[in-house]
Amino acid sequence: MLDQKLIRSEPERVKAGVAAKREKVDIDAYLALDEERRNIIAQVDNLKAERNRVSREIADEKRQGADPEDKIKAMREVSAEVKEHDDKLRDVEAKIESLLMWIPNMPHSSVPVGRNEDDNKIIRHWGEKPSIAFEPVPHWDIAESLGLVDFSRASVIAGSNFALFKGKGARLVRALISFMLDMHTRKHGYTEIWPPSLANRDSMMGTGQLPKLEEDMYHCQVDDYFLVPTAEVPLTNIHRGDILDGKSLPIRYTAYSPCFRREAGSYGKETRGLNRVHQFDKVELMKFVVPESSYDELESLVGDAEEVLQALGLHYRVLLLCTGELSFAAAKCYDLEVWSPAQAKWLEVSSCSNFEDFQARRAGIRYRPAAGEKARFVHTLNGSGVALPRIIVAILETYQTGDGRLKVPDVLVPFMDGADVIE
RNA sequence: GGAGAGAUGCCAGAGUGGUUGAAUGGGGCGGUCUCGAAAACCGUUGAGCGGGCAACCGUUCCGAGGGUUCGAAUCCCUCUCUCUCCGCCA
């Protein structure tokens, strides 16, 4: 949610930001409602002030044994008028609220203006495309032939675009999760969390998945719960409604969670194998920080995620997303993409974003810099550290040996019962 | 799923219709005292919205949302959450 004072004072800037993000919201409608709201408040506050004043007089007079009948009668009318205005105000505020929920965050000034992925800026590469002396086999074939993943069983159990990991494949999933959590907790100073995988509507609003992306979520209608699309939702909402002690910042959380996405409208070969599945595993990184440090914290967050890829020896690149590619709530975002040798393309495995105070406003997360000072909104950041299935894609395709076997990346060997090869 | 109890400020905990944003205790912050600290004592300590250059003024908020009333933390209704017992269950 944007600061309403910003919309009021710099509407043109907000309109430009909305356009740069390729969103459509009627800012002028907001401004009109905002003015109407302030008019009503001015009137109703005066009426309430009168009512409060006279009600005190009534109390006094009654205590002295008088019967202030005419004052009570007059206030009855004032109260009726207050109610009328309050009803109108409630109506206007509901409209404002629903409009406000659809206004995206403004892009940071360092974000390149652009329409689509061609306008993203490549920041850096790490490693080289692996030189594979044979025709690399796509991961879905390796996974099946080594018995690591059973796609057909998964579709019997659930449906298309689900994965069932089996044997060493399941072990590889668990190994990666443990490896990543160990790194982030031991080396990068994150506190490990094991959150609920279902979240209520308020939480989904707080982080900005709702209302815009409701169609992308799995929804339990009976209880109005949503399956979380990312641990960002539970992690950010840990502090919904809190005023944090400034001394406790920055707060860094990491969590493994399954992630559920309907991926409505995604078809074809982009979705083959593990490229895009409805349920996947991810280790998430999340920070609550003071505004002054949030952009430095974003850089270090990206670094924390990159270190996972480096340790796994996977060739990757870092992209700075352009305005048109930026998600609804983000002010700035870096994507990490790993190289898939057999598919000869880049796969997104992490998005690291600074939301500034956008989520904090929606979710009411503030901090008090020092005792006695006014509470301010924190800045929130999160990023994948990293998402599993595509990492497995890259591992399978990068570490295939050409004779049907798979080398286990060195850092994972201890997590695989010492096995350095899967065959 | 059934029965009951509860939800008040940073924490604990009073308060059943009239200057109650809220007693009291603890904590925090400031001060006195002290070389310093502790103790003691004194003071102070919520947020949102609207208006104002500001000092400040008004208004709202005692789980959430409605209602009754001249007036609601206090009465009524709905919902959410927590706890206890029963049932069910990995």
Side-chain angles (χ1 to χ4, degrees):
Chain A
M1 182 161 78
L2 287 186
D3 182 357
Q4 298 193 58
K5 291 192 182 79
L6 173 74
I7 312 175
R8 206 182 288 154
S9 61
E10 299 185 63
E12 294 312 316
R13 196 180 132 203
V14 172
K15 286 179 192 173
V18 170
K21 275 204 163 181
R22 301 171 63 203
E23 299 273 354
K24 284 201 178 70
V25 205
D26 192 343
I27 299 298
D28 289 323
Y30 167 83
L31 292 171
L33 285 166
D34 180 55
E35 181 156 359
E36 189 179 355
R37 169 174 165 270
R38 281 182 292 157
N39 285 337
I40 297 172
I41 286 176
Q43 292 176 50
V44 80
D45 274 7
N46 281 336
L47 288 170
K48 283 177 177 172
E50 186 190 355
R51 184 176 70 183
N52 288 342
R53 182 176 55 78
V54 177
S55 284
R56 277 193 294 270
E57 291 174 11
I58 291 172
D60 285 343
E61 288 177 33
K62 278 202 165 182
R63 261 193 295 269
Q64 287 158 20
D67 181 14
E69 200 185 330
D70 43 335
K71 279 185 175 171
I72 288 177
K73 214 174 150 191
M75 285 312 100
R76 196 172 294 156
E77 279 166 36
V78 170
S79 265
E81 210 177 330
V82 165
K83 186 172 158 25
E84 226 171 88
H85 282 83
D86 269 344
D87 288 345
K88 180 72 185 156
L89 183 63
R90 199 178 303 151
D91 185 51
V92 169
E93 286 187 331
K95 283 182 186 155
I96 287 176
E97 177 79 2
S98 59
L99 251 177
L100 214 48
M101 286 297 126
W102 288 89
I103 301 177
N105 200 3
M106 298 290 105
H108 187 253
S109 58
S110 63
V111 172
V113 176
R115 282 186 58 78
N116 54 39
E117 60 184 22
D118 298 331
D119 299 320
N120 294 338
K121 190 173 157 195
I122 299 169
I123 302 296
R124 58 183 169 269
H125 285 84
W126 186 89
E128 303 283 333
K129 287 193 175 65
S131 50
I132 299 177
F134 47 92
E135 183 67 22
V137 179
H139 72 274
W140 49 84
D141 287 338
I142 303 173
E144 293 274 7
S145 64
L146 285 174
L148 304 179
V149 184
D150 189 332
F151 292 105
S152 59
R153 285 299 100 187
S155 69
V156 169
I157 296 166
S160 67
N161 294 312
F162 282 89
L164 182 146
F165 291 88
K166 203 168 106 186
K168 289 282 196 305
R171 185 60 191 258
L172 181 60
V173 170
R174 186 153 59 93
L176 280 163
I177 293 167
S178 296
F179 164 68
M180 292 179 197
L181 287 173
D182 282 356
M183 177 188 281
H184 297 313
T185 54
R186 290 175 187 167
K187 206 169 164 190
H188 300 146
Y190 292 79
T191 301
E192 186 169 346
I193 304 285
W194 220 111
S197 293
L198 271 65
N200 58 33
R201 193 168 281 276
D202 285 344
S203 291
M204 298 293 281
M205 278 285 182
T207 34
Q209 275 73 25
L210 295 183
K212 197 192 158 196
L213 302 174
E214 182 149 4
E215 292 306 303
D216 295 336
M217 306 299 154
Y218 287 106
H219 181 209
C220 309
Q221 294 192 351
V222 178
D223 301 298
D224 203 23
Y225 286 142
F226 294 85
L227 276 71
V228 297
T230 158
E232 162 192 350
V233 176
L235 289 182
T236 306
N237 280 285
I238 287 175
H239 293 300
R240 175 149 53 89
D242 282 355
I243 297 179
L244 302 165
D245 181 350
K247 288 197 283 287
S248 70
L249 301 178
I251 294 171
R252 301 185 178 92
Y253 293 137
T254 184
Y256 157 73
S257 86
C259 303
F260 304 91
R261 300 185 184 181
R262 291 189 62 230
E263 305 288 4
S266 302
Y267 303 105
K269 80 174 176 206
E270 295 295 308
T271 69
R272 181 128 188 226
L274 293 171
N275 283 339
R276 188 181 292 274
V277 283
H278 291 306
Q279 176 186 336
F280 63 93
D281 299 289
K282 178 158 66 63
V283 168
E284 184 75 359
L285 303 171
M286 157 83 217
K287 294 181 182 182
F288 300 86
V289 308
V290 298
E292 293 73 18
S293 70
S294 69
Y295 280 95
D296 289 339
E297 293 282 356
L298 177 61
E299 297 301 321
S300 69
L301 180 70
V302 174
D304 295 338
E306 285 186 67
E307 198 171 333
V308 171
L309 304 180
Q310 292 169 10
L312 292 170
L314 297 174
H315 178 45
Y316 70 86
R317 66 179 187 179
V318 181
L319 298 181
L320 174 58
L321 297 192
C322 71
T323 53
E325 289 273 290
L326 215 46
S327 71
F328 182 77
K332 183 172 183 175
C333 177
Y334 293 103
D335 272 5
L336 304 186
E337 298 184 333
V338 288
W339 179 247
S340 161
Q343 301 178 89
K345 66 177 184 188
W346 296 99
L347 299 175
E348 180 190 334
V349 292
S350 177
S351 275
C352 300
S353 308
N354 184 359
F355 301 93
E356 298 187 356
D357 63 7
F358 188 83
Q359 292 180 326
R361 253 175 224 288
R362 287 190 164 221
I365 307 169
R366 288 172 290 181
Y367 75 103
R368 199 177 301 286
E373 283 186 47
K374 220 170 130 58
R376 303 169 66 197
F377 288 107
V378 299
H379 280 195
T380 60
L381 303 93
N382 67 55
S384 336
V386 296
L388 283 211
R390 292 179 187 160
I391 286 296
I392 292 177
V393 169
I395 289 174
L396 294 185
E397 296 183 3
T398 301
Y399 286 94
Q400 57 184 304
T401 55
D403 55 5
R405 298 183 304 151
L406 180 77
K407 182 186 179 313
V408 175
D410 292 343
V411 292
L412 293 183
V413 171
F415 294 90
M416 296 289 290
D417 275 343
D420 54 4
V421 171
I422 295 173
E423 48 197 338

